[in-house]
Structure formats: structure tokens, C-alpha cells
Amino acid sequence: MNPPKVSGKVNPKTAANALKSASSLRPKLAIILGSGFISVTNEVSSDREIPYQKLAGFMAPSVAGHAGVAIIGRLFDTDILILNGRTHYYEGHSLAQITHPIRVIAEYGIEDLILTNAAGGINRKYKPGDFMLFKDHMNFMGDNPLRGPSIPRRDRFTDLTQTYDPAIAKQIKAAGRKIKTKLHCGTYCAVSGPSYETPAEINAYRKLGADAIGMSTVPEAIVARQCGIRVAAISCITNEAADSNNYPLSHNDVLESGLLAAKTSSKLLGEFTRNYVQG
Ligand code: HPA
């Protein structure tokens, strides 16, 4: 039987109910793991792991480094939902499709969301292995996840004057200080990809005020805000963004840098969760 539809899309309540039946835990905190952050799954005491294929409307990621599993469990005494892996716009899906998991977790009861990703450093002070907490973003994807029919109970003209929650950001900064890791705070520029940028584009984005660049996260943050979820986002800087004096960029190099930063990212998310106070 086909799942019920909302505005022509799969109803997020279907997968939310599947998550509720999978475990009696009721986390308020969720983390979406991008490249460079998956090691934290080793620290989670998992109650249930549900492959994305079993969650209505979720798509299995087709990119190396993205597992496609939802984990409901506990991390340092905090109930948590971890979405290990995401699908990207560049895989050919619509922004509505790739942000469906956000609508699901909102229905499930998540109130605070940490988004993570790998990004290229545009700010010349950022080096591979550093981390950046989002202060703000620029959406250069050429599309918006809220485009389309208006959704009942949701504000189509969602306010983004403060997309990233200052109280959660404060807690992440404290965790960064505690584990003594370089945690910058800057503006993330989202592009559609999948090609990397030209040096001319990076130069232009730098002039506009971007500090890091990547191909994800912003659509999820926009939908999360529309759903009233508090959001924070962290990039693992895996490479210096394209530069005419630079070496060619490759996805494998990005993944490799992500692996090198894995221990630190796991400590950062662990330390944050250990002291997490709901906003
Ligand atoms: N550009 C865009 N996306 C990225 C990069 C980059 O340099 N590094 C990791 N994701």
C-alpha cells in the first residue's frame, strides 16, 4: 500500500510513526552526520538501527561515506536520533525530497538539530582539519526547499534572520574549547555541485563574505526552521577551496581529510552531547 500523501509528497508522519514504533526512546536531539563526522556512531549505545530504505520517503545515499541508517540510542546519557548519511541535491533529487527527513524528525518530536558536513575553506585562515560553526549561510544552490505548494501548519515565508540558534552555538563553542580544537565561526556558502568551484567563483564568494563552501546542509536548515526546530551546523574543513595556485580537488581527498578529522569530530559531538541542555 502506498503511504499517505501530503501536497503530492510522502506524508512525513509515516516514517515518524515507524521511528516511534522502533524504539521507546523519545529523543529531542538529532544529529545528521556528513563526511568527517561518522565516527561518533562508535560512541552511541544504539537501541535500534533502521536503514533508510525502511523509512517512507527516505532515499538511500549513493555517495561514498554516507551510510543511510537512522540510529535511535543514547550518547552520554542523552537520548539521541542520529541520521548517518544524507542524500544531496547533486544526486538528482529535488530539494523537497532531500529535506523530507527533516519533516519526519519534526513529526517525531525532535526539537534541536545539529547538522554536520565536509566543506572547503574559503577563509584563508581556515586549514584542513579545522572546524567551523555556522554563524549564517548564503544559499547559492539556485533553488529553495520551500518552493512549491504551501504546506498546512507551516509558514511558507519562513524567517531566516537567525537560522542558527545562539544557545546551541554557545554549547558547541564550549565543547570546542574543552577539547581544545580549532572551531571557527563563519558563513557557509551552499552550492549545488557536484563539480567543485572555479578559482574565480571562490574569489567571488570570498568577496561576498563566505568562509566555507559545500553542497549540503542549507536546505535542511531552512526546512528545520520552517518546522520550528532549533538548528546548529558544523563543517569539518577538509580542503582549501579552489585556488589557481592550488592542487586539483578530489572527492577522495575530501573523504581522506574527513577520516583524519574523525577522532576530533567525534570528541566534539560527544563533549557537546555530554553537557547538552535543551534550548
Ligand atoms: N567545495 C564544495 N563542496 C565541498 C568542498 C569544496 O571545496 N569540500 C568539501 N565539500
Side-chain angles (χ1 to χ4, degrees):
M1 197 180 72
N2 288 333
K5 310 244 171 162
V6 167
S7 311
K9 297 193 282 281
V10 178
N11 190 330
K13 284 194 173 130
T14 310
N17 288 339
L19 291 173
K20 283 179 191 162
S21 342
S23 162
S24 57
L25 298 182
R26 290 290 175 267
K28 297 284 171 221
L29 173 68
I31 306 182
I32 298 189
L33 299 179
S35 321
F37 287 85
I38 57 176
S39 292
V40 76
T41 55
N42 300 327
E43 309 296 325
V44 177
S45 114
S46 140
D47 186 45
R48 274 298 295 275
E49 301 199 1
I50 308 122
Y52 286 178
Q53 288 94 323
K54 298 223 162 124
L55 295 170
F58 276 55
M59 285 155 305
S62 66
V63 183
H66 289 266
V69 179
I71 305 168
I72 304 170
R74 286 176 74 72
L75 180 60
F76 297 112
D77 290 333
T78 300
D79 290 358
I80 197 159
L81 168 70
I82 291 193
L83 296 183
N84 184 7
R86 58 158 63 86
T87 42
H88 300 81
Y89 188 52
Y90 62 71
E91 291 171 72
H93 313 295
S94 69
L95 288 186
Q97 284 173 310
I98 66 163
T99 53
H100 175 74
I102 306 298
R103 300 197 182 279
V104 170
I105 66 173
E107 289 292 346
Y108 177 58
I110 294 300
E111 294 179 1
D112 290 345
L113 172 64
I114 315 297
L115 299 162
T116 66
N117 64 38
I122 293 183
N123 188 316
R124 296 191 202 279
K125 290 189 185 137
Y126 293 11
K127 299 295 167 213
D130 290 354
F131 291 86
M132 185 194 85
L133 183 64
F134 283 35
K135 187 164 64 184
D136 205 347
H137 73 233
M138 297 181 192
N139 180 7
F140 272 97
M141 290 184 121
D143 198 353
N144 190 296
L146 308 188
R147 186 173 168 271
S150 137
I151 296 177
R153 298 183 290 119
R154 302 291 187 221
D155 187 4
R156 173 181 255 170
F157 302 101
T158 295
D159 172 58
L160 294 178
T161 45
Q162 194 160 75
T163 313
Y164 302 96
D165 187 80
I168 307 180
K170 206 169 153 194
Q171 294 182 45
I172 294 173
K173 282 183 197 163
R177 276 195 303 275
K178 185 79 191 294
I179 68 158
K180 297 188 171 50
T181 197
K182 193 88 172 175
L183 182 65
H184 305 282
C185 192
T187 297
Y188 175 93
C189 176
V191 287
S192 68
S195 64
Y196 288 113
E197 303 70 38
T198 64
E201 285 165 343
I202 292 300
N203 219 0
Y205 294 137
R206 186 183 288 117
K207 285 190 175 138
L208 290 176
D211 296 296
I213 188 156
M215 305 172 191
S216 69
T217 306
V218 163
E220 295 156 355
I222 294 173
V223 173
R225 289 309 303 136
Q226 188 192 38
C227 297
I229 297 175
R230 286 178 289 263
V231 183
I234 312 168
S235 290
C236 170
I237 305 297
T238 48
N239 57 284
E240 287 172 23
D243 185 311
S244 41
N245 303 318
N246 217 332
Y247 46 87
L249 298 177
S250 89
H251 185 58
N252 280 342
D253 292 346
V254 166
L255 288 179
E256 221 163 88
S257 298
L259 284 179
L260 289 176
K263 224 171 155 183
T264 315
S265 65
S266 172
K267 270 168 60 183
L268 181 64
L269 292 177
E271 183 61 27
F272 160 74
T273 310
R274 191 202 305 275
N275 300 296
Y276 165 68
V277 181
Q278 216 183 311

